[in-house]
Amino acid sequence: MQELGFFTILFSAVFTNNILLTNYLGMCSFLAVSREVKASLGLGTAVFFVTAATTALNWVVYYRILVPLDLVYLRFIVFIVVIAAFVQLVEMIIERVSETLYQALGIFLPLITVNCAILGACLFMVIRDYTFGQACAYGLGAGLGWALAIMAMAGIRQRLSLRSRIPRGLEGPGIALIIAGTMALAFMGFNGMVSLN
Amino acid sequence: MTATKNWKLFKDNLGPQNPIFVQVLGICSTLAVTNVVKNTLVMCLGLIFTTALSNLALSLIRNSIPPRVRMMVEVLVIACMVIVVDIYLKAFYPDISRQLGPYVGLIITNCIVMGHTEAVALTSPPLPALVDGFSAGVGYSYVLLLIACCRELLGTGAVWGVQVLGPHWVNWSIMVMAPGGFFVLAVFVWIVKGWGERPAQKAQA
């Protein structure tokens, strides 16, 4: 694999290879929470923070502990435990440090442990053989891309709920999927700029 | 008596309770591979295996799990099942395993598996739990296989790698790319919801 720079990976993870719109990861919470901009801003921030941190953390765990001990096949369990432990830790720290931040992010943190986007980012990082710097860039980009997508989606859905006539069968998840498809089409327009694969 | 109960559980999971149509849950990891029917089938079999056996295992140990850490126990059991699937695929079908990439591992975070262990396995005896897990997996799989058939047929003119449509067919390449998956699933949800609503409207009129 050729060497990719920090910003190339960051940029392509946000735009051309958006983890939500091209890999369908994190769809469950994406469809459930994207009704209001405020809630999705909270969830987006939390996912961004946890993805960026755990991708770096899991890189260290994978290459410094699992590979030397030849325990690579245990990576699913180890990754998910690292993510769960990290989320728990963040929850405790936020609770102590800032009451307002806890009010804003607190309810989203337990949801995050089973968010596919975070585990997905960790697994992609391993499969693509990233170095530590590249893994950090990818984690940041994937989290940012997910947050961007859910906020854009919430903005569109909020406006849509004000004045628009949607066929009854399409209300709720149906129209959300169509919007997501259209957004994915729009993001494909970035394809020529940088490419990961 | 229990046999009919189990059968009812089985049918509910295929039809009215099907999680994809009711709440559009759990599509995360599997929708990504629905551009090729073969990969979808392998993913679905892995998912059925995982839901059925993790439900069974958790139901067997349900009385000794402390409630505070039950989520963690569930995730660990599910992760063990997924590791079995992953190693099996790597050993016997290395090509498919490479194509699926990280998505096999992502079965762990599939909401359907978690939802069924949480709702059924922790409260019911082993046999109904096994039936529930198996049927949830099957109900989920047939929807995704239908989606995969649509996408592969429209996107490449083939099903299961066999060319079905003649040479005059122009591929809708958008179908095998990401947006196609969203659109096809949206149309499916639309059709099913519209269908489900018709009898209700008639009753009102």
Side-chain angles (χ1 to χ4, degrees):
Chain A
M1 167 158 232
Q2 97 246 40
E3 278 301 304
L4 291 166
F6 188 89
F7 286 102
T8 319
I9 290 187
L10 181 72
F11 192 79
S12 68
V14 177
F15 292 109
T16 58
N17 282 46
N18 189 300
I19 199 155
L20 203 148
L21 296 172
T22 58
N23 296 322
Y24 307 105
L25 296 180
M27 285 295 291
C28 307
S29 32
F30 177 70
L31 291 176
V33 183
S34 63
R35 280 174 212 283
E36 291 172 50
V37 175
K38 212 175 154 203
S40 51
L41 177 69
L43 185 66
T45 321
V47 167
F48 166 63
F49 185 61
V50 174
T51 313
T54 50
T55 309
L57 209 59
N58 274 332
W59 190 92
V60 175
V61 170
Y62 187 79
Y63 287 102
R64 292 286 172 269
I65 301 176
L66 292 185
V67 171
L69 292 178
D70 203 16
L71 288 176
V72 175
Y73 62 92
L74 282 183
R75 65 182 186 281
F76 297 152
I77 289 191
V78 173
F79 283 0
I80 201 102
V81 169
V82 168
I83 293 171
F86 185 80
V87 169
Q88 200 88 59
L89 194 73
V90 170
E91 201 177 348
M92 286 193 293
I93 292 176
I94 289 182
E95 203 176 356
R96 284 287 162 81
V97 175
S98 154
E99 190 64 29
T100 44
L101 198 62
Y102 185 72
Q103 294 288 335
L105 294 185
I107 48 162
F108 299 116
L109 284 171
L111 273 180
I112 280 180
T113 314
V114 288
N115 189 319
C116 339
I118 296 170
L119 184 64
C122 295
L123 292 175
F124 271 122
M125 166 273 287
V126 166
I127 281 180
R128 292 181 186 156
D129 290 327
Y130 283 153
T131 62
F132 184 67
Q134 287 173 327
C136 289
Y138 184 69
L140 280 173
L144 202 61
W146 199 89
L148 186 74
I150 194 174
M151 280 189 282
M153 176 69 147
I156 296 173
R157 278 181 87 172
Q158 220 169 25
R159 288 199 70 123
L160 209 62
S161 67
L162 290 179
R163 57 168 83 106
S164 56
R165 294 165 62 205
I166 303 164
R168 195 178 295 165
L170 268 182
E171 275 168 12
I175 194 74
L177 284 167
I178 289 190
I179 297 170
T182 321
M183 273 167 66
L185 266 181
F187 271 63
M188 274 171 63
F190 291 114
N191 260 352
M193 298 169 77
V194 271
S195 154
L196 260 192
N197 305 330
Chain B
M1 200 51 211
T2 45
T4 45
K5 227 188 216 166
N6 285 343
W7 176 238
K8 190 179 174 308
L9 202 63
F10 190 85
K11 273 199 307 194
D12 272 359
N13 272 331
L14 293 194
Q17 297 290 324
N18 195 319
I20 295 197
F21 292 138
V22 180
Q23 293 154 306
V24 196
L25 272 186
I27 47 173
C28 311
S29 53
T30 322
L31 193 61
V33 296
T34 50
N35 48 5
V36 182
V37 177
K38 206 180 202 173
N39 293 353
T40 315
L41 184 69
V42 173
M43 265 306 265
C44 287
L45 289 178
L47 192 110
I48 294 173
F49 175 86
T50 314
T51 34
L53 289 193
S54 55
N55 253 15
L56 178 68
L58 281 161
S59 169
L60 285 172
I61 58 168
R62 70 184 186 282
N63 291 327
S64 48
I65 302 175
R68 289 197 62 147
V69 292
R70 66 174 202 290
M71 294 280 263
M72 210 59 235
V73 176
E74 284 165 24
V75 170
L76 287 182
V77 171
I78 295 168
C80 291
M81 300 300 168
V82 172
I83 288 178
V84 173
V85 173
D86 186 50
I87 290 176
Y88 179 82
L89 285 182
K90 265 199 188 122
F92 291 97
Y93 303 98
D95 288 343
I96 292 184
S97 169
R98 209 168 306 122
Q99 279 175 27
L100 292 179
Y103 294 112
V104 176
L106 287 167
I107 293 179
I108 300 173
T109 49
N110 190 308
C111 320
I112 291 192
V113 187
M114 274 299 268
H116 278 267
T117 53
E118 179 86 339
V120 179
L122 294 182
T123 53
S124 47
L127 189 65
L130 179 67
V131 171
D132 176 78
F134 180 75
S135 55
V138 173
Y140 175 79
S141 301
Y142 82 85
V143 178
L144 281 164
L145 281 170
L146 277 176
I147 293 174
C149 285
C150 281
R151 283 183 74 185
E152 196 179 339
L153 184 69
L154 295 175
T156 62
V159 173
W160 197 269
V162 179
Q163 203 67 29
V164 178
L165 300 168
H168 57 276
W169 173 255
V170 180
N171 289 339
W172 302 10
S173 44
I174 196 76
M175 276 298 162
V176 287
M177 289 191 274
F182 287 114
F183 290 139
V184 173
L185 183 60
V187 170
F188 266 74
V189 171
W190 189 5
I191 292 171
V192 170
K193 265 195 149 179
W195 206 342
E197 258 170 22
R198 214 181 299 150
Q201 278 175 351
K202 260 185 197 158
Q204 277 176 4

mmCIF file of all heavy atoms in Angstrom, chain A residues 92-126:
data_model
loop_
_atom_site.group_PDB
_atom_site.id
_atom_site.type_symbol
_atom_site.label_atom_id
_atom_site.label_comp_id
_atom_site.label_asym_id
_atom_site.label_seq_id
_atom_site.Cartn_x
_atom_site.Cartn_y
_atom_site.Cartn_z
ATOM 1 N N MET A 92 -17.881 8.660 33.198
ATOM 2 C CA MET A 92 -17.571 9.019 34.583
ATOM 3 C C MET A 92 -16.857 10.362 34.651
ATOM 4 O O MET A 92 -17.154 11.202 35.499
ATOM 5 C CB MET A 92 -16.713 7.923 35.214
ATOM 6 C CG MET A 92 -17.524 6.698 35.535
ATOM 7 S SD MET A 92 -16.703 5.533 36.598
ATOM 8 C CE MET A 92 -15.392 4.932 35.603
ATOM 9 N N ILE A 93 -15.901 10.569 33.718
ATOM 10 C CA ILE A 93 -15.153 11.833 33.750
ATOM 11 C C ILE A 93 -16.087 13.008 33.495
ATOM 12 O O ILE A 93 -16.086 13.997 34.224
ATOM 13 C CB ILE A 93 -14.018 11.814 32.697
ATOM 14 C CG1 ILE A 93 -12.967 10.791 33.115
ATOM 15 C CG2 ILE A 93 -13.396 13.190 32.563
ATOM 16 C CD1 ILE A 93 -11.875 10.615 32.110
ATOM 17 N N ILE A 94 -16.916 12.878 32.463
ATOM 18 C CA ILE A 94 -17.825 13.979 32.141
ATOM 19 C C ILE A 94 -18.755 14.281 33.298
ATOM 20 O O ILE A 94 -19.013 15.424 33.637
ATOM 21 C CB ILE A 94 -18.644 13.635 30.873
ATOM 22 C CG1 ILE A 94 -17.759 13.682 29.647
ATOM 23 C CG2 ILE A 94 -19.773 14.625 30.690
ATOM 24 C CD1 ILE A 94 -18.503 13.400 28.377
ATOM 25 N N GLU A 95 -19.210 13.226 33.977
ATOM 26 C CA GLU A 95 -20.125 13.414 35.088
ATOM 27 C C GLU A 95 -19.480 14.259 36.188
ATOM 28 O O GLU A 95 -20.126 15.109 36.807
ATOM 29 C CB GLU A 95 -20.530 12.047 35.637
ATOM 30 C CG GLU A 95 -21.833 12.072 36.391
ATOM 31 C CD GLU A 95 -22.231 10.687 36.838
ATOM 32 O OE1 GLU A 95 -21.524 9.719 36.484
ATOM 33 O OE2 GLU A 95 -23.237 10.565 37.544
ATOM 34 N N ARG A 96 -18.189 14.012 36.430
ATOM 35 C CA ARG A 96 -17.486 14.765 37.458
ATOM 36 C C ARG A 96 -17.182 16.186 37.015
ATOM 37 O O ARG A 96 -17.323 17.138 37.765
ATOM 38 C CB ARG A 96 -16.143 14.075 37.800
ATOM 39 C CG ARG A 96 -16.288 12.865 38.640
ATOM 40 C CD ARG A 96 -16.646 13.249 40.071
ATOM 41 N NE ARG A 96 -17.192 12.111 40.785
ATOM 42 C CZ ARG A 96 -16.435 11.159 41.331
ATOM 43 N NH1 ARG A 96 -15.136 11.220 41.244
ATOM 44 N NH2 ARG A 96 -16.999 10.158 41.967
ATOM 45 N N VAL A 97 -16.714 16.320 35.777
ATOM 46 C CA VAL A 97 -16.143 17.593 35.343
ATOM 47 C C VAL A 97 -17.219 18.625 35.024
ATOM 48 O O VAL A 97 -17.172 19.753 35.500
ATOM 49 C CB VAL A 97 -15.214 17.377 34.130
ATOM 50 C CG1 VAL A 97 -14.726 18.717 33.594
ATOM 51 C CG2 VAL A 97 -14.037 16.526 34.532
ATOM 52 N N SER A 98 -18.171 18.223 34.194
ATOM 53 C CA SER A 98 -19.108 19.253 33.753
ATOM 54 C C SER A 98 -20.536 18.729 33.760
ATOM 55 O O SER A 98 -20.865 17.765 33.059
ATOM 56 C CB SER A 98 -18.718 19.709 32.342
ATOM 57 O OG SER A 98 -19.842 20.201 31.677
ATOM 58 N N GLU A 99 -21.361 19.376 34.550
ATOM 59 C CA GLU A 99 -22.749 18.954 34.652
ATOM 60 C C GLU A 99 -23.501 19.200 33.345
ATOM 61 O O GLU A 99 -24.262 18.364 32.873
ATOM 62 C CB GLU A 99 -23.416 19.712 35.806
ATOM 63 C CG GLU A 99 -24.792 19.219 36.181
ATOM 64 C CD GLU A 99 -24.793 17.793 36.719
ATOM 65 O OE1 GLU A 99 -23.777 17.375 37.316
ATOM 66 O OE2 GLU A 99 -25.786 17.095 36.540
ATOM 67 N N THR A 100 -23.237 20.355 32.730
ATOM 68 C CA THR A 100 -23.982 20.698 31.508
ATOM 69 C C THR A 100 -23.625 19.758 30.374
ATOM 70 O O THR A 100 -24.485 19.310 29.625
ATOM 71 C CB THR A 100 -23.691 22.146 31.083
ATOM 72 O OG1 THR A 100 -22.292 22.385 31.190
ATOM 73 C CG2 THR A 100 -24.456 23.135 31.910
ATOM 74 N N LEU A 101 -22.318 19.451 30.267
ATOM 75 C CA LEU A 101 -21.887 18.540 29.211
ATOM 76 C C LEU A 101 -22.513 17.159 29.426
ATOM 77 O O LEU A 101 -22.927 16.491 28.487
ATOM 78 C CB LEU A 101 -20.361 18.439 29.225
ATOM 79 C CG LEU A 101 -19.713 17.899 27.958
ATOM 80 C CD1 LEU A 101 -20.021 18.812 26.796
ATOM 81 C CD2 LEU A 101 -18.214 17.762 28.146
ATOM 82 N N TYR A 102 -22.613 16.762 30.699
ATOM 83 C CA TYR A 102 -23.195 15.463 30.993
ATOM 84 C C TYR A 102 -24.671 15.435 30.615
ATOM 85 O O TYR A 102 -25.166 14.456 30.059
ATOM 86 C CB TYR A 102 -23.025 15.133 32.480
ATOM 87 C CG TYR A 102 -23.499 13.745 32.829
ATOM 88 C CD1 TYR A 102 -22.775 12.635 32.418
ATOM 89 C CD2 TYR A 102 -24.667 13.540 33.540
ATOM 90 C CE1 TYR A 102 -23.207 11.372 32.717
ATOM 91 C CE2 TYR A 102 -25.108 12.275 33.843
ATOM 92 C CZ TYR A 102 -24.374 11.188 33.429
ATOM 93 O OH TYR A 102 -24.807 9.926 33.716
ATOM 94 N N GLN A 103 -25.339 16.552 30.892
ATOM 95 C CA GLN A 103 -26.745 16.642 30.492
ATOM 96 C C GLN A 103 -26.896 16.495 28.983
ATOM 97 O O GLN A 103 -27.824 15.867 28.486
ATOM 98 C CB GLN A 103 -27.324 17.998 30.914
ATOM 99 C CG GLN A 103 -27.410 18.203 32.414
ATOM 100 C CD GLN A 103 -28.494 17.377 33.042
ATOM 101 O OE1 GLN A 103 -29.445 17.015 32.377
ATOM 102 N NE2 GLN A 103 -28.343 17.053 34.312
ATOM 103 N N ALA A 104 -25.947 17.097 28.252
ATOM 104 C CA ALA A 104 -26.062 17.107 26.798
ATOM 105 C C ALA A 104 -25.683 15.764 26.184
ATOM 106 O O ALA A 104 -26.327 15.301 25.258
ATOM 107 C CB ALA A 104 -25.202 18.223 26.214
ATOM 108 N N LEU A 105 -24.607 15.145 26.686
ATOM 109 C CA LEU A 105 -24.092 13.937 26.040
ATOM 110 C C LEU A 105 -24.456 12.657 26.775
ATOM 111 O O LEU A 105 -24.385 11.582 26.201
ATOM 112 C CB LEU A 105 -22.558 14.012 25.927
ATOM 113 C CG LEU A 105 -21.991 15.078 25.024
ATOM 114 C CD1 LEU A 105 -20.494 14.931 24.942
ATOM 115 C CD2 LEU A 105 -22.587 14.961 23.633
ATOM 116 N N GLY A 106 -24.799 12.789 28.053
ATOM 117 C CA GLY A 106 -24.938 11.613 28.912
ATOM 118 C C GLY A 106 -25.805 10.514 28.343
ATOM 119 O O GLY A 106 -25.397 9.358 28.305
ATOM 120 N N ILE A 107 -26.991 10.868 27.835
ATOM 121 C CA ILE A 107 -27.890 9.809 27.397
ATOM 122 C C ILE A 107 -27.377 9.107 26.139
ATOM 123 O O ILE A 107 -27.782 7.999 25.844
ATOM 124 C CB ILE A 107 -29.312 10.343 27.123
ATOM 125 C CG1 ILE A 107 -29.249 11.586 26.271
ATOM 126 C CG2 ILE A 107 -30.048 10.617 28.403
ATOM 127 C CD1 ILE A 107 -30.565 11.914 25.615
ATOM 128 N N PHE A 108 -26.485 9.767 25.397
ATOM 129 C CA PHE A 108 -26.021 9.141 24.160
ATOM 130 C C PHE A 108 -24.895 8.157 24.390
ATOM 131 O O PHE A 108 -24.666 7.285 23.582
ATOM 132 C CB PHE A 108 -25.548 10.199 23.179
ATOM 133 C CG PHE A 108 -26.635 11.141 22.800
ATOM 134 C CD1 PHE A 108 -26.562 12.475 23.119
ATOM 135 C CD2 PHE A 108 -27.756 10.678 22.142
ATOM 136 C CE1 PHE A 108 -27.575 13.337 22.787
ATOM 137 C CE2 PHE A 108 -28.776 11.532 21.809
ATOM 138 C CZ PHE A 108 -28.681 12.860 22.133
ATOM 139 N N LEU A 109 -24.182 8.323 25.509
ATOM 140 C CA LEU A 109 -22.981 7.508 25.672
ATOM 141 C C LEU A 109 -23.255 6.006 25.712
ATOM 142 O O LEU A 109 -22.564 5.259 25.027
ATOM 143 C CB LEU A 109 -22.207 7.979 26.895
ATOM 144 C CG LEU A 109 -21.445 9.281 26.619
ATOM 145 C CD1 LEU A 109 -20.859 9.841 27.886
ATOM 146 C CD2 LEU A 109 -20.343 9.065 25.600
ATOM 147 N N PRO A 110 -24.260 5.522 26.459
ATOM 148 C CA PRO A 110 -24.487 4.079 26.438
ATOM 149 C C PRO A 110 -24.847 3.555 25.044
ATOM 150 O O PRO A 110 -24.499 2.432 24.680
ATOM 151 C CB PRO A 110 -25.660 3.883 27.404
ATOM 152 C CG PRO A 110 -25.671 5.087 28.243
ATOM 153 C CD PRO A 110 -25.162 6.190 27.407
ATOM 154 N N LEU A 111 -25.524 4.385 24.247
ATOM 155 C CA LEU A 111 -25.892 3.983 22.886
ATOM 156 C C LEU A 111 -24.668 3.695 22.032
ATOM 157 O O LEU A 111 -24.719 2.924 21.083
ATOM 158 C CB LEU A 111 -26.641 5.127 22.198
ATOM 159 C CG LEU A 111 -28.135 5.264 22.361
ATOM 160 C CD1 LEU A 111 -28.607 6.471 21.587
ATOM 161 C CD2 LEU A 111 -28.803 4.019 21.822
ATOM 162 N N ILE A 112 -23.578 4.375 22.386
ATOM 163 C CA ILE A 112 -22.423 4.380 21.501
ATOM 164 C C ILE A 112 -21.685 3.059 21.477
ATOM 165 O O ILE A 112 -21.124 2.664 20.463
ATOM 166 C CB ILE A 112 -21.501 5.524 21.929
ATOM 167 C CG1 ILE A 112 -22.055 6.807 21.358
ATOM 168 C CG2 ILE A 112 -20.103 5.320 21.467
ATOM 169 C CD1 ILE A 112 -21.238 7.970 21.703
ATOM 170 N N THR A 113 -21.714 2.332 22.598
ATOM 171 C CA THR A 113 -20.962 1.083 22.660
ATOM 172 C C THR A 113 -21.338 0.156 21.515
ATOM 173 O O THR A 113 -20.490 -0.523 20.959
ATOM 174 C CB THR A 113 -21.246 0.369 23.993
ATOM 175 O OG1 THR A 113 -21.161 1.350 25.019
ATOM 176 C CG2 THR A 113 -20.253 -0.706 24.236
ATOM 177 N N VAL A 114 -22.614 0.143 21.155
ATOM 178 C CA VAL A 114 -23.018 -0.761 20.085
ATOM 179 C C VAL A 114 -23.212 -0.023 18.760
ATOM 180 O O VAL A 114 -23.907 -0.508 17.877
ATOM 181 C CB VAL A 114 -24.302 -1.540 20.440
ATOM 182 C CG1 VAL A 114 -23.998 -2.575 21.483
ATOM 183 C CG2 VAL A 114 -25.389 -0.609 20.887
ATOM 184 N N ASN A 115 -22.580 1.129 18.627
ATOM 185 C CA ASN A 115 -22.659 1.818 17.336
ATOM 186 C C ASN A 115 -21.665 1.180 16.369
ATOM 187 O O ASN A 115 -20.471 1.110 16.640
ATOM 188 C CB ASN A 115 -22.325 3.287 17.536
ATOM 189 C CG ASN A 115 -22.584 4.110 16.307
ATOM 190 O OD1 ASN A 115 -22.293 3.678 15.204
ATOM 191 N ND2 ASN A 115 -23.126 5.278 16.488
ATOM 192 N N CYS A 116 -22.196 0.712 15.220
ATOM 193 C CA CYS A 116 -21.326 -0.038 14.308
ATOM 194 C C CYS A 116 -20.195 0.819 13.768
ATOM 195 O O CYS A 116 -19.142 0.311 13.424
ATOM 196 C CB CYS A 116 -22.097 -0.591 13.117
ATOM 197 S SG CYS A 116 -23.826 -0.746 13.365
ATOM 198 N N ALA A 117 -20.426 2.132 13.673
ATOM 199 C CA ALA A 117 -19.422 2.971 13.022
ATOM 200 C C ALA A 117 -18.097 2.918 13.773
ATOM 201 O O ALA A 117 -17.029 2.926 13.160
ATOM 202 C CB ALA A 117 -19.923 4.406 12.940
ATOM 203 N N ILE A 118 -18.157 2.828 15.094
ATOM 204 C CA ILE A 118 -16.922 2.887 15.872
ATOM 205 C C ILE A 118 -16.129 1.595 15.722
ATOM 206 O O ILE A 118 -14.943 1.614 15.407
ATOM 207 C CB ILE A 118 -17.253 3.183 17.338
ATOM 208 C CG1 ILE A 118 -17.898 4.571 17.407
ATOM 209 C CG2 ILE A 118 -16.024 3.116 18.199
ATOM 210 C CD1 ILE A 118 -18.478 4.900 18.720
ATOM 211 N N LEU A 119 -16.827 0.461 15.913
ATOM 212 C CA LEU A 119 -16.142 -0.820 15.704
ATOM 213 C C LEU A 119 -15.690 -0.930 14.249
ATOM 214 O O LEU A 119 -14.602 -1.434 13.960
ATOM 215 C CB LEU A 119 -17.080 -1.974 16.064
ATOM 216 C CG LEU A 119 -16.479 -3.362 15.985
ATOM 217 C CD1 LEU A 119 -15.373 -3.522 16.998
ATOM 218 C CD2 LEU A 119 -17.535 -4.423 16.207
ATOM 219 N N GLY A 120 -16.530 -0.433 13.333
ATOM 220 C CA GLY A 120 -16.177 -0.478 11.912
ATOM 221 C C GLY A 120 -14.905 0.273 11.630
ATOM 222 O O GLY A 120 -14.028 -0.228 10.915
ATOM 223 N N ALA A 121 -14.769 1.467 12.199
ATOM 224 C CA ALA A 121 -13.559 2.251 11.966
ATOM 225 C C ALA A 121 -12.343 1.486 12.469
ATOM 226 O O ALA A 121 -11.304 1.440 11.803
ATOM 227 C CB ALA A 121 -13.670 3.606 12.666
ATOM 228 N N CYS A 122 -12.459 0.837 13.632
ATOM 229 C CA CYS A 122 -11.332 0.077 14.166
ATOM 230 C C CYS A 122 -10.961 -1.093 13.249
ATOM 231 O O CYS A 122 -9.780 -1.362 13.014
ATOM 232 C CB CYS A 122 -11.662 -0.460 15.552
ATOM 233 S SG CYS A 122 -11.906 0.828 16.755
ATOM 234 N N LEU A 123 -11.988 -1.785 12.712
ATOM 235 C CA LEU A 123 -11.695 -2.949 11.862
ATOM 236 C C LEU A 123 -11.112 -2.525 10.521
ATOM 237 O O LEU A 123 -10.195 -3.162 9.994
ATOM 238 C CB LEU A 123 -12.966 -3.779 11.653
ATOM 239 C CG LEU A 123 -13.492 -4.481 12.899
ATOM 240 C CD1 LEU A 123 -14.802 -5.160 12.613
ATOM 241 C CD2 LEU A 123 -12.491 -5.505 13.387
ATOM 242 N N PHE A 124 -11.625 -1.426 9.961
ATOM 243 C CA PHE A 124 -11.062 -0.927 8.697
ATOM 244 C C PHE A 124 -9.606 -0.543 8.888
ATOM 245 O O PHE A 124 -8.764 -0.794 8.032
ATOM 246 C CB PHE A 124 -11.846 0.295 8.214
ATOM 247 C CG PHE A 124 -13.007 -0.051 7.342
ATOM 248 C CD1 PHE A 124 -14.296 0.336 7.670
ATOM 249 C CD2 PHE A 124 -12.814 -0.757 6.169
ATOM 250 C CE1 PHE A 124 -15.365 0.013 6.870
ATOM 251 C CE2 PHE A 124 -13.874 -1.083 5.359
ATOM 252 C CZ PHE A 124 -15.154 -0.694 5.712
ATOM 253 N N MET A 125 -9.327 0.061 10.031
ATOM 254 C CA MET A 125 -7.965 0.505 10.315
ATOM 255 C C MET A 125 -7.006 -0.684 10.321
ATOM 256 O O MET A 125 -5.893 -0.594 9.804
ATOM 257 C CB MET A 125 -8.020 1.269 11.641
ATOM 258 C CG MET A 125 -6.749 1.573 12.344
ATOM 259 S SD MET A 125 -6.228 0.274 13.428
ATOM 260 C CE MET A 125 -7.304 0.345 14.801
ATOM 261 N N VAL A 126 -7.463 -1.828 10.850
ATOM 262 C CA VAL A 126 -6.608 -3.008 10.876
ATOM 263 C C VAL A 126 -6.455 -3.599 9.478
ATOM 264 O O VAL A 126 -5.355 -3.934 9.033
ATOM 265 C CB VAL A 126 -7.193 -4.059 11.833
ATOM 266 C CG1 VAL A 126 -6.528 -5.400 11.615
ATOM 267 C CG2 VAL A 126 -7.011 -3.613 13.260
#
